[in-house]
Structure formats: structure tokens, C-alpha cells
PDB file of all heavy atoms in Angstrom:
ATOM      1  N   GLY R   1       0.786  -1.213   0.001  1.00 92.00           N
ATOM      2  CA  GLY R   1      -0.001  -0.002   0.003  1.00 92.00           C
ATOM      3  C   GLY R   1       0.825   1.269   0.001  1.00 92.00           C
ATOM      4  O   GLY R   1       0.336   2.336   0.336  1.00 92.00           O
ATOM      5  N   ILE R   2       2.089   1.171  -0.410  1.00 95.00           N
ATOM      6  CA  ILE R   2       2.956   2.346  -0.446  1.00 95.00           C
ATOM      7  C   ILE R   2       2.752   3.106  -1.750  1.00 95.00           C
ATOM      8  O   ILE R   2       2.875   2.543  -2.839  1.00 95.00           O
ATOM      9  CB  ILE R   2       4.437   1.937  -0.308  1.00 95.00           C
ATOM     10  CG1 ILE R   2       4.684   1.189   1.010  1.00 95.00           C
ATOM     11  CG2 ILE R   2       5.342   3.155  -0.434  1.00 95.00           C
ATOM     12  CD1 ILE R   2       4.440   2.041   2.240  1.00 95.00           C
ATOM     13  N   CYS R   3       2.416   4.377  -1.656  1.00 94.00           N
ATOM     14  CA  CYS R   3       2.228   5.225  -2.832  1.00 94.00           C
ATOM     15  C   CYS R   3       3.050   6.508  -2.756  1.00 94.00           C
ATOM     16  O   CYS R   3       3.032   7.293  -3.700  1.00 94.00           O
ATOM     17  CB  CYS R   3       0.748   5.594  -2.999  1.00 94.00           C
ATOM     18  SG  CYS R   3      -0.325   4.256  -3.532  1.00 94.00           S
ATOM     19  N   ARG R   4       3.716   6.722  -1.621  1.00 96.00           N
ATOM     20  CA  ARG R   4       4.464   7.960  -1.392  1.00 96.00           C
ATOM     21  C   ARG R   4       5.933   7.653  -1.137  1.00 96.00           C
ATOM     22  O   ARG R   4       6.272   6.659  -0.508  1.00 96.00           O
ATOM     23  CB  ARG R   4       3.880   8.718  -0.200  1.00 96.00           C
ATOM     24  CG  ARG R   4       2.450   9.179  -0.383  1.00 96.00           C
ATOM     25  CD  ARG R   4       1.865   9.634   0.956  1.00 96.00           C
ATOM     26  NE  ARG R   4       2.685  10.650   1.587  1.00 96.00           N
ATOM     27  CZ  ARG R   4       2.508  11.972   1.445  1.00 96.00           C
ATOM     28  NH1 ARG R   4       1.510  12.409   0.702  1.00 96.00           N
ATOM     29  NH2 ARG R   4       3.298  12.827   2.057  1.00 96.00           N
ATOM     30  N   VAL R   5       6.776   8.553  -1.602  1.00 97.00           N
ATOM     31  CA  VAL R   5       8.202   8.375  -1.414  1.00 97.00           C
ATOM     32  C   VAL R   5       8.579   8.450   0.064  1.00 97.00           C
ATOM     33  O   VAL R   5       9.396   7.654   0.546  1.00 97.00           O
ATOM     34  CB  VAL R   5       8.982   9.441  -2.210  1.00 97.00           C
ATOM     35  CG1 VAL R   5      10.472   9.392  -1.871  1.00 97.00           C
ATOM     36  CG2 VAL R   5       8.778   9.252  -3.705  1.00 97.00           C
ATOM     37  N   ASP R   6       7.975   9.387   0.808  1.00 97.00           N
ATOM     38  CA  ASP R   6       8.311   9.496   2.224  1.00 97.00           C
ATOM     39  C   ASP R   6       7.866   8.253   2.997  1.00 97.00           C
ATOM     40  O   ASP R   6       8.571   7.798   3.915  1.00 97.00           O
ATOM     41  CB  ASP R   6       7.716  10.759   2.848  1.00 97.00           C
ATOM     42  CG  ASP R   6       6.226  10.900   2.627  1.00 97.00           C
ATOM     43  OD1 ASP R   6       5.626  10.078   1.907  1.00 97.00           O
ATOM     44  OD2 ASP R   6       5.642  11.866   3.162  1.00 97.00           O
ATOM     45  N   ASP R   7       6.730   7.657   2.618  1.00 97.00           N
ATOM     46  CA  ASP R   7       6.300   6.417   3.267  1.00 97.00           C
ATOM     47  C   ASP R   7       7.249   5.268   2.923  1.00 97.00           C
ATOM     48  O   ASP R   7       7.518   4.405   3.759  1.00 97.00           O
ATOM     49  CB  ASP R   7       4.875   6.060   2.850  1.00 97.00           C
ATOM     50  CG  ASP R   7       3.830   6.903   3.565  1.00 97.00           C
ATOM     51  OD1 ASP R   7       4.164   7.502   4.609  1.00 97.00           O
ATOM     52  OD2 ASP R   7       2.685   6.956   3.085  1.00 97.00           O
ATOM     53  N   ALA R   8       7.730   5.247   1.682  1.00 97.00           N
ATOM     54  CA  ALA R   8       8.673   4.201   1.278  1.00 97.00           C
ATOM     55  C   ALA R   8       9.950   4.282   2.119  1.00 97.00           C
ATOM     56  O   ALA R   8      10.474   3.264   2.585  1.00 97.00           O
ATOM     57  CB  ALA R   8       9.002   4.334  -0.203  1.00 97.00           C
ATOM     58  N   LYS R   9      10.438   5.501   2.324  1.00 97.00           N
ATOM     59  CA  LYS R   9      11.651   5.675   3.134  1.00 97.00           C
ATOM     60  C   LYS R   9      11.392   5.288   4.585  1.00 97.00           C
ATOM     61  O   LYS R   9      12.256   4.684   5.243  1.00 97.00           O
ATOM     62  CB  LYS R   9      12.119   7.124   3.053  1.00 97.00           C
ATOM     63  CG  LYS R   9      12.632   7.518   1.667  1.00 97.00           C
ATOM     64  CD  LYS R   9      13.065   8.972   1.648  1.00 97.00           C
ATOM     65  CE  LYS R   9      13.633   9.354   0.290  1.00 97.00           C
ATOM     66  NZ  LYS R   9      14.046  10.791   0.246  1.00 97.00           N
ATOM     67  N   ARG R  10      10.208   5.607   5.074  1.00 97.00           N
ATOM     68  CA  ARG R  10       9.898   5.257   6.463  1.00 97.00           C
ATOM     69  C   ARG R  10       9.768   3.742   6.611  1.00 97.00           C
ATOM     70  O   ARG R  10      10.131   3.178   7.653  1.00 97.00           O
ATOM     71  CB  ARG R  10       8.607   5.934   6.887  1.00 97.00           C
ATOM     72  CG  ARG R  10       8.384   5.877   8.386  1.00 97.00           C
ATOM     73  CD  ARG R  10       7.429   6.938   8.848  1.00 97.00           C
ATOM     74  NE  ARG R  10       7.330   6.941  10.310  1.00 97.00           N
ATOM     75  CZ  ARG R  10       6.573   7.782  10.996  1.00 97.00           C
ATOM     76  NH1 ARG R  10       5.870   8.707  10.364  1.00 97.00           N
ATOM     77  NH2 ARG R  10       6.535   7.730  12.316  1.00 97.00           N
ATOM     78  N   ALA R  11       9.243   3.081   5.580  1.00 97.00           N
ATOM     79  CA  ALA R  11       9.146   1.622   5.619  1.00 97.00           C
ATOM     80  C   ALA R  11      10.537   0.989   5.681  1.00 97.00           C
ATOM     81  O   ALA R  11      10.761   0.013   6.402  1.00 97.00           O
ATOM     82  CB  ALA R  11       8.397   1.120   4.388  1.00 97.00           C
ATOM     83  N   VAL R  12      11.469   1.557   4.931  1.00 97.00           N
ATOM     84  CA  VAL R  12      12.851   1.072   4.984  1.00 97.00           C
ATOM     85  C   VAL R  12      13.413   1.239   6.389  1.00 97.00           C
ATOM     86  O   VAL R  12      14.047   0.344   6.948  1.00 97.00           O
ATOM     87  CB  VAL R  12      13.732   1.827   3.959  1.00 97.00           C
ATOM     88  CG1 VAL R  12      15.203   1.461   4.153  1.00 97.00           C
ATOM     89  CG2 VAL R  12      13.292   1.498   2.541  1.00 97.00           C
ATOM     90  N   ASP R  13      13.166   2.411   7.004  1.00 96.00           N
ATOM     91  CA  ASP R  13      13.643   2.654   8.361  1.00 96.00           C
ATOM     92  C   ASP R  13      13.020   1.687   9.362  1.00 96.00           C
ATOM     93  O   ASP R  13      13.649   1.337  10.380  1.00 96.00           O
ATOM     94  CB  ASP R  13      13.326   4.090   8.779  1.00 96.00           C
ATOM     95  CG  ASP R  13      14.117   5.122   7.999  1.00 96.00           C
ATOM     96  OD1 ASP R  13      15.165   4.749   7.434  1.00 96.00           O
ATOM     97  OD2 ASP R  13      13.691   6.289   7.944  1.00 96.00           O
ATOM     98  N   ALA R  14      11.796   1.236   9.073  1.00 95.00           N
ATOM     99  CA  ALA R  14      11.117   0.299   9.976  1.00 95.00           C
ATOM    100  C   ALA R  14      11.653  -1.117   9.830  1.00 95.00           C
ATOM    101  O   ALA R  14      11.318  -1.996  10.632  1.00 95.00           O
ATOM    102  CB  ALA R  14       9.615   0.312   9.713  1.00 95.00           C
ATOM    103  N   GLY R  15      12.465  -1.354   8.789  1.00 95.00           N
ATOM    104  CA  GLY R  15      13.110  -2.652   8.647  1.00 95.00           C
ATOM    105  C   GLY R  15      12.438  -3.629   7.708  1.00 95.00           C
ATOM    106  O   GLY R  15      12.783  -4.821   7.724  1.00 95.00           O
ATOM    107  N   VAL R  16      11.485  -3.186   6.870  1.00 96.00           N
ATOM    108  CA  VAL R  16      10.840  -4.127   5.959  1.00 96.00           C
ATOM    109  C   VAL R  16      11.843  -4.585   4.902  1.00 96.00           C
ATOM    110  O   VAL R  16      12.831  -3.887   4.627  1.00 96.00           O
ATOM    111  CB  VAL R  16       9.604  -3.503   5.272  1.00 96.00           C
ATOM    112  CG1 VAL R  16       8.620  -2.978   6.303  1.00 96.00           C
ATOM    113  CG2 VAL R  16      10.008  -2.409   4.298  1.00 96.00           C
ATOM    114  N   SER R  17      11.600  -5.739   4.338  1.00 96.00           N
ATOM    115  CA  SER R  17      12.492  -6.254   3.296  1.00 96.00           C
ATOM    116  C   SER R  17      11.956  -6.004   1.899  1.00 96.00           C
ATOM    117  O   SER R  17      12.690  -6.137   0.918  1.00 96.00           O
ATOM    118  CB  SER R  17      12.726  -7.756   3.501  1.00 96.00           C
ATOM    119  OG  SER R  17      11.500  -8.445   3.666  1.00 96.00           O
ATOM    120  N   ALA R  18      10.687  -5.618   1.791  1.00 98.00           N
ATOM    121  CA  ALA R  18      10.091  -5.319   0.497  1.00 98.00           C
ATOM    122  C   ALA R  18       8.886  -4.423   0.688  1.00 98.00           C
ATOM    123  O   ALA R  18       8.263  -4.418   1.755  1.00 98.00           O
ATOM    124  CB  ALA R  18       9.668  -6.602  -0.226  1.00 98.00           C
ATOM    125  N   ILE R  19       8.555  -3.646  -0.346  1.00 97.00           N
ATOM    126  CA  ILE R  19       7.350  -2.839  -0.318  1.00 97.00           C
ATOM    127  C   ILE R  19       6.557  -3.098  -1.585  1.00 97.00           C
ATOM    128  O   ILE R  19       7.122  -3.346  -2.652  1.00 97.00           O
ATOM    129  CB  ILE R  19       7.648  -1.333  -0.169  1.00 97.00           C
ATOM    130  CG1 ILE R  19       8.498  -0.831  -1.339  1.00 97.00           C
ATOM    131  CG2 ILE R  19       8.304  -1.021   1.151  1.00 97.00           C
ATOM    132  CD1 ILE R  19       8.710   0.673  -1.333  1.00 97.00           C
ATOM    133  N   SER R  20       5.261  -3.053  -1.443  1.00 97.00           N
ATOM    134  CA  SER R  20       4.356  -3.225  -2.584  1.00 97.00           C
ATOM    135  C   SER R  20       3.757  -1.872  -2.915  1.00 97.00           C
ATOM    136  O   SER R  20       3.021  -1.290  -2.103  1.00 97.00           O
ATOM    137  CB  SER R  20       3.245  -4.222  -2.242  1.00 97.00           C
ATOM    138  OG  SER R  20       2.238  -4.215  -3.232  1.00 97.00           O
ATOM    139  N   VAL R  21       4.110  -1.343  -4.083  1.00 97.00           N
ATOM    140  CA  VAL R  21       3.542  -0.067  -4.539  1.00 97.00           C
ATOM    141  C   VAL R  21       2.123  -0.368  -5.022  1.00 97.00           C
ATOM    142  O   VAL R  21       1.925  -1.027  -6.036  1.00 97.00           O
ATOM    143  CB  VAL R  21       4.392   0.541  -5.659  1.00 97.00           C
ATOM    144  CG1 VAL R  21       3.762   1.849  -6.159  1.00 97.00           C
ATOM    145  CG2 VAL R  21       5.816   0.788  -5.169  1.00 97.00           C
ATOM    146  N   SER R  22       1.141   0.103  -4.258  1.00 94.00           N
ATOM    147  CA  SER R  22      -0.242  -0.287  -4.522  1.00 94.00           C
ATOM    148  C   SER R  22      -1.203   0.754  -3.975  1.00 94.00           C
ATOM    149  O   SER R  22      -0.939   1.356  -2.932  1.00 94.00           O
ATOM    150  CB  SER R  22      -0.537  -1.649  -3.861  1.00 94.00           C
ATOM    151  OG  SER R  22      -1.915  -1.950  -3.902  1.00 94.00           O
ATOM    152  N   ASN R  23      -2.294   0.976  -4.697  1.00 90.00           N
ATOM    153  CA  ASN R  23      -3.372   1.809  -4.159  1.00 90.00           C
ATOM    154  C   ASN R  23      -4.588   0.959  -3.823  1.00 90.00           C
ATOM    155  O   ASN R  23      -5.705   1.448  -3.747  1.00 90.00           O
ATOM    156  CB  ASN R  23      -3.743   2.929  -5.144  1.00 90.00           C
ATOM    157  CG  ASN R  23      -4.365   2.423  -6.430  1.00 90.00           C
ATOM    158  OD1 ASN R  23      -4.552   1.217  -6.617  1.00 90.00           O
ATOM    159  ND2 ASN R  23      -4.692   3.320  -7.336  1.00 90.00           N
ATOM    160  N   HIS R  24      -4.358  -0.336  -3.642  1.00 85.00           N
ATOM    161  CA  HIS R  24      -5.409  -1.287  -3.272  1.00 85.00           C
ATOM    162  C   HIS R  24      -6.548  -1.295  -4.294  1.00 85.00           C
ATOM    163  O   HIS R  24      -7.725  -1.426  -3.935  1.00 85.00           O
ATOM    164  CB  HIS R  24      -5.954  -0.994  -1.869  1.00 85.00           C
ATOM    165  CG  HIS R  24      -4.917  -1.068  -0.788  1.00 85.00           C
ATOM    166  ND1 HIS R  24      -4.394  -2.263  -0.345  1.00 85.00           N
ATOM    167  CD2 HIS R  24      -4.298  -0.095  -0.068  1.00 85.00           C
ATOM    168  CE1 HIS R  24      -3.496  -2.024   0.599  1.00 85.00           C
ATOM    169  NE2 HIS R  24      -3.412  -0.725   0.781  1.00 85.00           N
ATOM    170  N   GLY R  25      -6.164  -1.138  -5.558  1.00 80.00           N
ATOM    171  CA  GLY R  25      -7.183  -1.173  -6.607  1.00 80.00           C
ATOM    172  C   GLY R  25      -8.122   0.015  -6.580  1.00 80.00           C
ATOM    173  O   GLY R  25      -9.182  -0.006  -7.204  1.00 80.00           O
ATOM    174  N   GLY R  26      -7.749   1.073  -5.864  1.00 76.00           N
ATOM    175  CA  GLY R  26      -8.623   2.231  -5.756  1.00 76.00           C
ATOM    176  C   GLY R  26      -9.820   1.994  -4.856  1.00 76.00           C
ATOM    177  O   GLY R  26     -10.738   2.814  -4.811  1.00 76.00           O
ATOM    178  N   ASN R  27      -9.796   0.891  -4.106  1.00 74.00           N
ATOM    179  CA  ASN R  27     -10.942   0.562  -3.254  1.00 74.00           C
ATOM    180  C   ASN R  27     -11.090   1.530  -2.083  1.00 74.00           C
ATOM    181  O   ASN R  27     -12.198   1.826  -1.648  1.00 74.00           O
ATOM    182  CB  ASN R  27     -10.804  -0.865  -2.710  1.00 74.00           C
ATOM    183  CG  ASN R  27     -10.929  -1.907  -3.797  1.00 74.00           C
ATOM    184  OD1 ASN R  27     -11.606  -1.693  -4.786  1.00 74.00           O
ATOM    185  ND2 ASN R  27     -10.254  -3.038  -3.628  1.00 74.00           N
ATOM    186  N   ASN R  28      -9.956   1.984  -1.538  1.00 73.00           N
ATOM    187  CA  ASN R  28     -10.006   2.857  -0.363  1.00 73.00           C
ATOM    188  C   ASN R  28     -10.234   4.309  -0.736  1.00 73.00           C
ATOM    189  O   ASN R  28     -10.947   5.040  -0.056  1.00 73.00           O
ATOM    190  CB  ASN R  28      -8.714   2.722   0.445  1.00 73.00           C
ATOM    191  CG  ASN R  28      -8.543   1.330   1.012  1.00 73.00           C
ATOM    192  OD1 ASN R  28      -9.417   0.491   0.877  1.00 73.00           O
ATOM    193  ND2 ASN R  28      -7.413   1.074   1.631  1.00 73.00           N
ATOM    194  N   LEU R  29      -9.593   4.761  -1.816  1.00 76.00           N
ATOM    195  CA  LEU R  29      -9.725   6.135  -2.276  1.00 76.00           C
ATOM    196  C   LEU R  29      -9.578   6.118  -3.788  1.00 76.00           C
ATOM    197  O   LEU R  29      -8.476   5.983  -4.314  1.00 76.00           O
ATOM    198  CB  LEU R  29      -8.649   7.018  -1.625  1.00 76.00           C
ATOM    199  CG  LEU R  29      -8.713   8.512  -1.955  1.00 76.00           C
ATOM    200  CD1 LEU R  29     -10.021   9.120  -1.448  1.00 76.00           C
ATOM    201  CD2 LEU R  29      -7.518   9.242  -1.350  1.00 76.00           C
ATOM    202  N   ASP R  30     -10.708   6.270  -4.473  1.00 79.00           N
ATOM    203  CA  ASP R  30     -10.680   6.077  -5.928  1.00 79.00           C
ATOM    204  C   ASP R  30      -9.984   7.212  -6.673  1.00 79.00           C
ATOM    205  O   ASP R  30      -9.755   7.109  -7.879  1.00 79.00           O
ATOM    206  CB  ASP R  30     -12.092   5.861  -6.483  1.00 79.00           C
ATOM    207  CG  ASP R  30     -13.025   7.034  -6.221  1.00 79.00           C
ATOM    208  OD1 ASP R  30     -12.559   8.074  -5.726  1.00 79.00           O
ATOM    209  OD2 ASP R  30     -14.224   6.906  -6.514  1.00 79.00           O
ATOM    210  N   GLY R  31      -9.600   8.287  -5.985  1.00 84.00           N
ATOM    211  CA  GLY R  31      -8.867   9.357  -6.635  1.00 84.00           C
ATOM    212  C   GLY R  31      -7.361   9.216  -6.513  1.00 84.00           C
ATOM    213  O   GLY R  31      -6.615  10.057  -7.008  1.00 84.00           O
TER     214      GLY R  31
END
């Protein structure tokens, strides 16, 4: 569910090994 660069960097700082760039099919926010 990462769509922002700052969130991607924060995910790296949190120690994740991979991120999925996704807007969840627009289900949560269609814009």
C-alpha cells in the first residue's frame, strides 16, 4: 500500500524487506 516516497523511506527505516507499490485497486480512495 505504499504510494508515497516518504512512506517508502519510512518503511525502509522500519526494517521491511520489500514494499508493494499499490493503491489497493482504488478501493479505499478512488482518486
Side-chain angles (χ1 to χ4, degrees):
I2 301 296
C3 288
R4 297 167 55 93
V5 172
D6 54 354
D7 283 342
K9 292 179 178 179
R10 193 159 185 179
V12 172
D13 292 340
V16 305
S17 50
I19 60 174
S20 170
V21 178
S22 170
N23 66 1
H24 300 287
N27 292 331
N28 296 355
L29 183 63
D30 60 7

